[in-house]
Structure formats: structure tokens, C-alpha cells
Amino acid sequence: MTTQQVLLLLLLWMWLPHPCHTEMLFRRTPDLRHKSFGGRASGNDGKAIHRQKRGWMWNQFFLLEEYTGSDYQYVGKLHSDQDKGDGSLKYILSGDGAGTLFIIDEKTGDIHATRRIDREEKAFYTLRAQAINRRTLRPVEPESEFVIKIHDINDNEPTFPEEIYTASVPEMSVVGTSVVQVTATDADDPSYGNSARVIYSILQGQPYFSVEPETGIIRTALPNMNRENREQYQVVIQAKDMGGQMGGLSGTTTVNITLTDVNDNPPRFPQSTVHLRIPESSPVGTAIGSVKATDADTGKNAEVEYRIIDGDGTDMFDIVTQKDTQEGIITVRKPLDYETRRLYTLKVEAENTHVDPRFYYLGPFKDTTIVKISVEDVDEPPIFSRSSYLFEVHEDIELGTIIGTVMARDPDSASSPIRFSLDRHTDLDRIFNIHSGNGSIYTSKPLDREISQWHNLSVIAAEINNPKDTTRVPVYVRILDVNDNAPQFAVFYDTFVCENARAGQLIQTISAVDKDDPLGGQKFFFSLAAVNPNFTVQDNEDNTARILTRRNGFSRHEISTYLLPVVISDNDYPIQSSTGTLTIRVCACDSRGNMQSCNAEALLLPAGLSTGALVAILLCIIILLVIVVLFAALKRQRKKEPLILSKEDIRDNIVSYNDEGGGEEDTQAFDIGTLRNPAAMEDKKLRRDIIPETLFVPRRTPSAPDNTDVRDFINQRLKEHDTDPSAPPYDSLATYAYEGNDSIAESLSSLESGTTEGDQNYDYLREWGPRFNKLAEMYGGGESDKDTS
């Protein structure tokens, strides 16, 4: 707390009556006890009732907040008139803060505050006081209530609800225009002194803005503030209590003020003249360039509309306003021609679309500029005299006849010669051709309107000096009709006549068609090529005719078919005619004339087969094929190849013999694989055709040693085959069985045998035991048969 504030508090303390010395006395008033203190009332006894006046006077206590002394702050004193000073009475305090914040001396009745009190937390305290007899503890006076009010001191500065305010005001506003209002609050007591009286002042922002001291309303202080010069302002506002006097507390806030835009600036072109260039070949709608007027305003206040108001090219050019860039885009309105005009002058105006009437005095809100457009020369392609050509020609013209001529010129000043050609994609049949020099189109093949009535051609024109620049033009050729086609029957007629037909009976109505298309329409005439005794033709004169019988008594057994030639002619020039032949069958009919049967029916019926018959024939063929395939397969399985194909075969042939074992067809007694590989037989295996009488542990036998004789024999045969020039070109595999070293019969192979088949003697086979009996019978019997024969 500053020295000035302390002095101010002392002055206030001296001016006000000191509450600390206030005494609340309990004074006896015996002389007034029977004094009437109100209206008179009558009771049962007719005596007057008097109200007894209280025996003590009561006032409020006052206490200053924010006490800074070291001792308890004295509040006041309670005293009863019955207190004799002998200590017989006891004072009791209860209520808000009693015993904690406020304490009382039981003997003297002095009340003290134990700590510093803040009025902003609580402005007053309500307590109750009572005096009782210390010995009897009975109240000598009834309990009474009193209030301790806290006197305010200026201990709170004004505060603003926001540290920074944001506001705006239109530019060019008049002096005194309200911008924003700021309000500060002071927590001090507004009813006591000037502690809460706030005065506003401006610390920063002059001379542009001012503030009303009492309300805090910020207003403009200068006229015609221009946003284009300065847009942002920062204003500092101070709020001070004590009515703004010295010693008051203060608070500040910042207000950021923005000047908003108004349309106070007209658009201006940066240049008085703008030069643009464009090639003469630019198509319509091409953008030439742009012009732009600058406007210091923003937003809608800067929006500009462009228009062409004058010049010699108003009909050749347009201008469009580009909204996003605020530019005027100049475009081509009509085709340009360098040879016709090379320079155009336009007067372009730019005007604001949103004008504020308040600022009309600042001048017209529009501006103009001159735009000069130069047309540049380019090598243009040829130009045809027409946008399209239509030629008509009769279909009977001779080859090489000119049907029409196209013309084109070079638009450039050089006037280069033109070369013409046909786009063959539009004339795939090459019916037409064109003279490359003069553009004459002539026929190269005959025309036929009935095949194609229109031909759509495309003619190409190019400069000889610059063949890349070309121009195309469509040429439509219409083929005119010539009466070159004779009429014919419209359809094929299946005509019959009944055997019971009468003379003059209608049997058929015929019509004709003609590929030609005469201008007057089709008109046909029907007649017979010669007089026919059986039938006649009657022309209906509506391009139809009727076939009538001339007699009766037709019989299909005599003549089954009649041929009737009919002549059909048109009436165009030259007249065309043709003869069509009707085939008339004689048929049997019922009484109503409905055909029942004709002689050709019997010939047609056997010619066809029903679907069921065809399916049956197809199934039979398939079954026969399956039987043939199965028969061939069975026959191939039964066919056996001979063991030796020829005695002259130079390759070795090995014959393997199965052990007969328990019988002639027994092949399961022994595993003959061990004969081919002696090393593979390691364990002694049991026979598979009989049940062994005793079981014994198999004994491992040592493998047979490698036989050098067999190895030498195989190597020798391999060497002979490798060196033999007459050996076949394919590889052959020879298999040799090995009987073992301990065989009694030794080798059974006939290889390297010095004797022939006839010299062999097989009688010794009978001496080897019962296992070789069958072999001895086969070979022994063979020898005997051979000898006997």
C-alpha cells in the first residue's frame, strides 16, 4: 500500500465517528416499566395491559476491512446496566464467526476480530449476545441480535472482462462514430465513498480515437480516416477508480480497431494505351489478351465490369470480365483477315459495379483505356468459293464426263496456285476423279442409281508451295434416274388350278416392281406373250393383273403343269419390258376350291426322312463302329510275337526258363529274380506253394563273388557291337541270366555253343531228377519225332 493511500485512510478515519468506542449498554429503566407503549386493551378483569420496554439499547458495530495491525482489532463493547463490575455477569457471543473470527471478553464484554477481514468476501456478520449470571447461569437479559458491518476501503482496482478487444469501423466515418464500448468492474463497495467509481481515459490511440469517461464508449476522433493509408489501430484504455482522482487504482485493456473498406476509390487503368497482337488464323472465341484496372478497395467494392464502348472493331471483338482475377479478356468475335484489315482500335471502359452514393463527390467510379490490336499475317490454307457443293448427274452419262467444278483460292497476298485432290476414303470404289489443276470432277466408272443414289465426296485443296496447309470441302453428288431397268414379278408365285375349275375363274393376282424411280411414278402393263387357249391375263390398271382360266376340264393325269409367259412393261422412256413365266400346277381340290393334292406330291414325299429314322440310322452306325474296334483290340491281344524273328538276326536272344516247381503251370514256387542277380539273394526264402514242416531261423549266406567270366563275356560283346559297321543304327539291349557257380547242369544257354541244334543230345536231362522230367520229355520227344520223320 502506498503512502498516499495510507494518508487517505487516516483522513477518513478522522472524519468518521470511531466505531471502536461504541458501547452497547444494557440500561435499566424502572420508571418506564409501567409506561404504556401502545394501544389500550381490555381484558376479563377490565385492567389495562402495558408492554414492558426492553432493558438495553442496541446499535450496529462498524469495522474497517484489511486491518494490518499486530494485535487483535477492537470491534466494540457490550455492557448491561445490571453489571456492577463485580464479575458476577458473563457475556456470551454466538453467530457468524463467533469464537473464531470474533471473540468476546466474558467479564468486560469487549469484542475483538482475530484476523484481517475482506469486505469483498463478506460485507456483514450477524451475531447474538447474551448476559447470564455466572453463578446461576441464568440469563439476566434476553438474547439479542446485532450486526457487524465491514467498512470498505479502496483495495481493488478496476478490471476488464477481456484483455484484448477487437472492433471495426468503416473508413471515412465522421467524427464521433461509435466503435465499441468497454466496461470495467470494481469489486469495492459502490455505496461507500468513491472506491468503485470508475473513470475511463485513453492512453494510446490519440488523436484517432477518443473514449467517453463515464461510459467507456470509444469513438472516432479524426475525419476521413482512409483504410488505404492505414488499416489497423491499437488503442489502450485505462479505467481508474476514486473518480479518477489521484491515489485511485487503475486497470487497462487493449482494443484492436480495423478500418473496414468502403468504395471510395474508382478503378484506374495503369496504361492509357494497350497494344495486342493476334494471328489472322485465330478461330472465333480465341482470347487475344487482357486488360486490368486497379482499384485500391477490396472485396465487392473493387469489383469491375469491362465493356467496349467505342472503336472500329466493336463488331470484331468481345470483352469478358473474369470475376476471380478482375480482368477483362478480349476475344475474337468474327474471323480475321490480314489482307482485309491489319489494325483495330478499341476503347475499353472499366466501371465499379457497387458504387456508394455517399462518395459520389470523389468523382466518377470508372476509367477508360485504348486497346490497339494488330493482325499478323500467316500462311493460310486455300479457301473454297462455297462451304459445300451439290452436283446432279444422270446415271447413263459416259465415262469421263465432267459433273461439276470446285473452286478455291489462296487468301494470302502471294496468291499461290492450288492443287486439288479427292479423299479416297470417301470414294473407295474410285468412281470419280478430279483434275488437280482446275478442280473439275469427272466420272471414271459407270454410275448406277439403283446401287447408290448419293455419293458424298471430300475434296482437298492445298497450296503447291506449301502442301501441308490443306482445306476440305464436302461435295454431294446426286445420281438422277434413267429408265434402264425392266419391271419384274414382285414375288415368286406358286400358282395352281383346280381340276374342277370353271372357265373365267380367277386363279392368281400378280404385281410387278421396277428398280427405276420415274418422276410420274410407276405404271405397269401386263399381257400375254402369245394367245393361250387355257389362260388369259386381265390388266387391272393399278399395277396388278389377274390370271383367269379360259376353259374347264383340267386333269392332272393328262397335263400336270402349264407354263404361262406374261409380258410386263412400263410407260417411261425408253420403254422397258420383260417376260415372266408363271408355273401353274393342276391339283385336286374340294368343292370350295381348296387344294388337296397335286401330282408333284408323290415325288416329294419319298425324298425326305423323318428325324426319328435319321437318329436310328446314326445309332446303328455307332454300334457297328464300337464292335469293330473291340474286335480289333481282342485280336491284337491274342497275337504273339515269335521268340526269334529270324535265324539271320545277328543280335543275341536270351530265353528265360521258368522253374516248373510243383506243377506244369506253377510260376510262384521260386523267385527267379535271384538268378539274374546272385548278390540280391541274401536270405533263404521259404517256398510259397507249400506249408513248411518246421520253422527254422533263416541263415544269411555270403554273397556270390563277382564272376569274371560273365564280365569278360559282356565286355567282349559290347566291343564287338561298337566296332561292327553292319550293326543296326539303334541301341539293342541284351539280357543274360546267371545260373550260378554250383549248378550241376552248368549253363543252359546256347550262347557260344559249338554244336548246332540238331547235334544236341538231351538224354542226360533224365538223370538230373524229377524236376527236369518235363524238359527231357519235350526235347527228347522232339529228337525222336525228328528222327522218325
Side-chain angles (χ1 to χ4, degrees):
M1 186 176 294
T2 62
T3 305
Q4 294 179 354
Q5 292 175 344
V6 173
L7 292 176
L8 182 61
L9 291 176
L10 291 177
L11 290 175
L12 292 174
W13 185 271
M14 294 173 63
W15 290 342
L16 296 176
H18 204 292
C20 298
H21 296 156
T22 301
E23 295 184 1
M24 294 186 179
L25 303 177
F26 292 84
R27 292 183 299 175
R28 284 289 188 183
T29 54
D31 53 337
L32 299 176
R33 185 174 302 173
H34 302 287
K35 184 177 179 181
S36 177
F37 202 86
R40 185 180 184 89
S42 60
N44 295 332
D45 52 0
K47 296 181 179 180
I49 299 176
H50 300 276
R51 180 183 176 186
Q52 184 177 356
K53 188 178 180 180
R54 297 184 62 176
W56 53 350
M57 301 294 295
W58 192 246
N59 290 318
Q60 293 181 348
F61 287 133
F62 297 92
L63 186 64
L64 285 175
E65 65 171 337
E66 303 296 341
Y67 175 71
T68 58
S70 59
D71 298 334
Y72 288 166
Q73 185 178 6
Y74 182 72
V75 178
K77 184 179 182 63
L78 297 178
H79 184 73
S80 176
D81 56 357
Q82 296 186 12
D83 188 1
K84 305 301 183 180
D86 55 358
S88 62
L89 294 182
K90 180 180 179 181
Y91 296 95
I92 300 174
L93 190 66
S94 62
D96 293 341
T100 57
L101 180 58
F102 300 103
I103 59 175
I104 188 170
D105 191 334
E106 296 178 353
K107 295 181 179 180
T108 61
D110 293 331
I111 301 175
H112 291 82
T114 60
R115 59 180 176 83
R116 185 171 60 181
I117 299 176
D118 188 1
R119 190 202 67 83
E120 284 70 35
E121 294 181 0
K122 193 168 184 179
F124 62 90
Y125 296 85
T126 303
L127 294 95
R128 292 179 299 276
Q130 190 176 25
I132 63 174
N133 189 292
R134 190 180 293 275
R135 291 189 298 273
T136 61
L137 300 180
R138 292 181 179 180
V140 297
E141 295 289 347
E143 186 180 51
S144 186
E145 189 177 82
F146 66 97
V147 175
I148 300 177
K149 287 189 175 182
I150 310 301
H151 271 182
D152 183 45
I153 63 173
N154 190 19
D155 59 343
N156 292 280
E157 69 277 0
T159 58
F160 291 93
E162 297 183 15
E163 294 182 1
I164 298 177
Y165 289 85
T166 302
S168 62
V169 63
E171 63 172 334
M172 308 298 290
S173 298
V174 298
V175 176
T177 302
S178 176
V179 180
V180 68
Q181 182 179 13
V182 294
T183 304
T185 57
D186 196 321
D188 294 327
D189 189 1
S191 63
Y192 183 77
N194 295 326
S195 299
R197 184 186 174 192
V198 178
I199 298 297
Y200 299 95
S201 61
I202 185 168
L203 301 181
Q204 177 182 331
Q206 294 176 335
Y208 308 103
F209 299 95
S210 63
V211 63
E212 294 184 358
E214 299 293 338
T215 61
I217 297 177
I218 301 174
R219 299 181 183 274
T220 58
L222 283 181
N224 300 328
M225 286 191 294
N226 198 340
R227 184 198 64 84
E228 288 73 30
N229 296 332
R230 182 176 177 181
E231 185 177 4
Q232 298 288 338
Y233 294 88
Q234 190 175 71
V235 179
V236 178
I237 302 297
Q238 182 189 60
K240 191 174 184 180
D241 59 10
M242 297 299 294
Q245 298 177 1
M246 184 179 297
L249 304 179
S250 64
T252 61
T253 187
T254 300
V255 182
N256 293 326
I257 301 175
T258 303
L259 295 184
T260 58
D261 184 58
V262 297
N263 192 7
D264 58 340
N265 294 279
R268 290 289 181 264
F269 283 104
Q271 298 175 352
S272 60
T273 303
V274 179
H275 295 274
L276 299 175
R277 294 179 178 274
I278 183 172
E280 62 173 334
S281 60
S282 300
V284 174
T286 302
I288 304 173
S290 63
V291 293
K292 184 175 183 180
T294 59
D295 194 324
D297 298 321
T298 60
K300 68 176 184 178
N301 297 320
E303 292 182 0
V304 178
E305 186 73 24
Y306 297 91
R307 65 178 63 92
I308 300 175
I309 61 175
D310 197 5
D312 54 11
T314 55
D315 58 338
M316 300 295 295
F317 303 95
D318 281 332
I319 188 167
V320 180
T321 302
Q322 195 77 17
K323 296 297 184 182
D324 53 348
T325 61
Q326 289 298 306
E327 292 180 334
I329 309 299
I330 301 176
T331 60
V332 179
R333 185 177 182 180
K334 292 183 179 180
L336 303 174
D337 188 6
Y338 173 82
E339 288 71 25
T340 303
R341 192 180 185 92
R342 303 181 182 182
L343 181 64
Y344 294 90
T345 301
L346 304 176
K347 188 176 183 180
V348 178
E349 181 185 72
E351 183 179 9
N352 281 136
T353 57
H354 301 86
V355 180
D356 194 337
R358 297 177 300 170
F359 305 106
Y360 279 154
Y361 68 92
L362 295 178
F365 285 83
K366 56 186 177 180
D367 194 14
T368 59
T369 187
I370 301 299
V371 179
K372 293 186 177 182
I373 301 174
S374 299
V375 179
E376 297 178 344
D377 186 26
V378 296
D379 190 4
E380 298 176 271
I383 298 177
F384 283 95
S385 59
R386 301 180 191 174
S387 60
S388 63
Y389 292 87
L390 173 62
F391 300 136
E392 293 183 347
V393 60
H394 288 88
E395 60 178 328
D396 61 346
I397 63 172
E398 297 179 358
L399 296 181
T401 303
I402 296 177
I403 65 173
T405 302
V406 297
M407 292 182 294
R409 64 177 179 86
D410 183 9
D412 297 325
S413 57
S415 187
S416 300
I418 306 301
R419 182 182 182 87
F420 299 94
S421 62
L422 275 176
D423 186 356
R424 289 304 176 184
H425 292 90
T426 61
D427 185 27
L428 297 176
D429 296 331
R430 295 182 176 269
I431 300 175
F432 302 94
N433 211 335
I434 188 171
H435 193 281
S436 61
N438 57 21
S440 298
I441 301 175
Y442 57 92
T443 59
S444 59
K445 288 184 179 181
L447 303 178
D448 191 350
R449 190 202 66 85
E450 287 69 35
I451 296 178
S452 178
Q453 185 177 357
W454 286 90
H455 295 272
N456 300 325
L457 308 178
S458 180
V459 177
I460 304 172
E463 298 179 12
I464 295 178
N465 299 331
N466 187 11
K468 292 183 179 180
D469 289 337
T470 60
T471 305
R472 293 172 178 263
V473 67
V475 177
Y476 307 104
V477 180
R478 180 182 180 184
I479 310 301
L480 300 179
D481 185 42
V482 174
N483 192 22
D484 57 348
N485 291 279
Q488 299 175 353
F489 282 131
V491 296
F492 173 77
Y493 295 101
D494 185 12
T495 308
F496 68 93
V497 60
C498 296
E499 291 180 320
N500 56 359
R502 300 183 303 274
Q505 183 175 341
L506 174 66
I507 63 172
Q508 184 70 60
T509 300
I510 60 175
S511 62
V513 294
D514 194 338
K515 294 181 181 180
D516 295 323
D517 187 15
L519 296 177
Q522 301 282 1
K523 180 63 177 176
F524 304 121
F525 300 96
F526 300 88
S527 62
L528 292 178
V531 178
N532 191 291
N534 301 310
F535 305 97
T536 184
V537 175
Q538 183 179 354
D539 195 337
N540 296 327
E541 297 183 357
D542 60 352
N543 293 338
T544 63
R546 297 188 298 171
I547 307 299
L548 305 175
T549 59
R550 298 188 68 176
R551 66 178 181 88
N552 57 5
F554 293 95
S555 175
R556 58 177 173 160
H557 300 289
E558 296 176 359
I559 299 177
S560 62
T561 304
Y562 293 92
L563 298 178
L564 181 64
V566 179
V567 178
I568 310 172
S569 59
D570 56 22
N571 66 340
D572 203 359
Y573 181 83
I575 296 176
Q576 299 288 339
S577 63
S578 65
T579 301
T581 302
L582 283 177
T583 301
I584 304 174
R585 296 180 298 158
V586 180
C587 300
C589 303
D590 57 11
S591 59
R592 297 181 180 180
N594 298 322
M595 181 182 65
Q596 292 182 342
S597 63
C598 298
N599 56 349
E601 183 178 0
L603 298 175
L604 293 175
L605 290 177
L609 291 176
S610 63
T611 305
L614 292 175
V615 172
I617 293 173
L618 183 61
L619 289 177
C620 292
I621 294 173
I622 293 174
I623 293 173
L624 290 176
L625 290 175
V626 171
I627 293 173
V628 170
V629 171
L630 292 176
F631 180 76
L634 293 175
K635 186 176 181 180
R636 180 174 296 180
Q637 289 182 357
R638 293 177 179 179
K639 184 178 181 181
K640 295 182 180 179
E641 296 182 359
L643 185 61
I644 299 176
L645 298 178
S646 175
K647 293 183 179 180
E648 298 179 356
D649 191 351
I650 61 175
R651 292 176 294 178
D652 295 331
N653 297 281
I654 306 301
V655 180
S656 298
Y657 301 93
N658 289 330
D659 183 20
E660 276 106 30
E664 184 178 3
E665 298 179 356
D666 184 8
T667 59
Q668 301 295 328
F670 298 94
D671 185 6
I672 65 174
T674 56
L675 297 176
R676 295 184 175 90
N677 187 6
M681 186 178 64
E682 296 180 356
D683 298 334
K684 184 175 182 181
K685 297 181 180 180
L686 300 177
R687 287 176 61 103
R688 291 176 290 179
D689 56 341
I690 59 175
I691 300 175
E693 297 179 357
T694 59
L695 296 177
F696 58 89
V697 179
R699 177 174 56 86
R700 293 181 60 89
T701 59
S703 59
D706 187 14
N707 195 314
T708 58
D709 296 336
V710 175
R711 184 173 65 251
D712 293 341
F713 169 75
I714 294 175
N715 290 335
Q716 182 180 358
R717 288 294 185 184
L718 178 60
K719 185 176 180 181
E720 291 177 357
H721 279 283
D722 291 341
T723 58
D724 187 2
S726 61
Y730 50 84
D731 295 334
S732 60
L733 177 64
T735 304
Y736 305 98
Y738 178 69
E739 288 83 8
N741 295 329
D742 299 330
S743 175
I744 301 175
E746 296 181 353
S747 177
L748 299 179
S749 175
S750 61
L751 299 176
E752 296 183 349
S753 176
T755 60
T756 62
E757 185 179 355
D759 297 337
Q760 293 286 344
N761 185 6
Y762 299 100
D763 294 337
Y764 57 86
L765 293 176
R766 300 181 184 276
E767 300 175 358
W768 290 352
R771 292 186 180 182
F772 296 93
N773 289 337
K774 186 65 176 179
L775 190 60
E777 292 176 0
M778 292 175 59
Y779 284 88
E783 289 292 333
S784 60
D785 294 340
K786 187 176 182 180
D787 293 341
T788 57
S789 62

